[in-house]
Amino acid sequence: MTSETTAASATTDDAAIKAKHRAMWAWGDYPAVATEVIASLGPVLVDACGIEAGQTVLDVGAGSGNAALPAARTGATVTASDLTPELLDVGRAEADDEGLTLTWREDDVEHLGVEDASYDVVMSCVGAMFAPHHQETADEIVRATKPGGTIGLVSWTPQGFIGQMFATMKPYAPPPPPGAQPPPLWGDGDHVRALFGNRVTDVEATTQTLAVDRFFDGAEFRDFFKATYGPTIAVYKAIADDPEKVAALDGELAALAETFGVRNGAMPWDYLLFTARRA
């Protein structure tokens, strides 16, 4: 096999992976998760990045604008990019209703269609972490950021609730594509520092907790995520013809929420807040 053939195969495989990701995040109702469960994370990231009027901001893996919309409210010039156009459409409609002006663009965080060093701030709120190739993602984030500009990320931790939810679903899910890395690794500070290396300075990486009080019990959490959250929907689609597996996963997801204290009024969902400056 020639190098040209290998490269062409890799490109074809990558396109297929991205097509599956695009479809997965369009399933269900991720904007409901963004507004009903994790709405406070966007403003947390905007504050941590120190975004203010006059800055140029790129939100990658922006979804329906959980961080992009709060950034635009500061008066910054904001571009929200995401692989899934259906999510961008929701954000665009919300921005229009609020009278906010943003640029919405369909884009792949591993292959951003933006100029080098073109933004004062490049950020992502539990979005870029789901791109399959972590180093390529970090490289593009750095490339898009101006020297001295700010990089800011919020990512679910491996040990926290969402990281454990992915661990619970893993035995039921199809094997990941070759070379794909687990999303919750972005919640490991050492992993993220290694991805950016000496290309950034002034690194701050702290584990923080989102208190989630949306759900009464484990069953309500499970049913909500089965209906709204693309990765959970994808796993259930993969086992839909095996009622025993469906029942087992139903039980495990509900039990996980109970273990994290869903009946106590609020579950602690840990995330890593990472900020740095491009060197």
Side-chain angles (χ1 to χ4, degrees), residues 171-222:
Y172 299 92
Q181 294 175 279
L185 274 179
W186 279 95
D188 181 317
D190 290 340
H191 178 71
V192 181
R193 286 185 180 92
L195 291 174
F196 289 110
N198 61 8
R199 298 176 297 176
V200 299
T201 63
D202 302 324
V203 171
E204 294 188 19
T206 59
T207 298
Q208 302 195 18
T209 301
L210 173 69
V212 174
D213 60 1
R214 165 65 173 74
F215 308 107
F216 172 74
D217 59 16
E220 185 181 7
F221 158 76
R222 176 201 64 216

Side-chain angles (χ1 to χ4, degrees), residues 53-79:
Q55 289 187 311
T56 54
V57 178
L58 175 64
D59 184 7
V60 294
S64 52
N66 188 22
L69 291 169
R73 293 183 191 118
T74 71
T77 300
V78 179
T79 297

Side-chain angles (χ1 to χ4, degrees), residues 101-181:
T101 300
L102 296 83
T103 299
W104 302 87
R105 57 178 294 147
E106 184 179 344
D107 214 348
D108 175 2
V109 68
E110 295 181 5
H111 307 285
L112 292 171
V114 301
E115 297 295 326
D116 293 354
S118 50
Y119 291 91
D120 296 309
V121 179
V122 178
M123 64 177 182
S124 188
C125 183
V126 295
M129 65 178 290
F130 290 100
H133 306 112
H134 294 188
Q135 192 61 64
E136 286 89 334
T137 299
D139 292 349
E140 281 293 88
I141 289 172
V142 171
R143 184 184 67 79
T145 309
K146 294 178 180 178
T150 299
I151 292 168
L153 306 168
V154 165
S155 308
W156 302 119
T157 67
Q159 301 82 14
F161 179 77
I162 295 296
Q164 290 303 298
M165 184 189 75
F166 276 93
T168 298
M169 295 191 301
K170 184 177 179 180
Y172 299 92
Q181 294 175 279

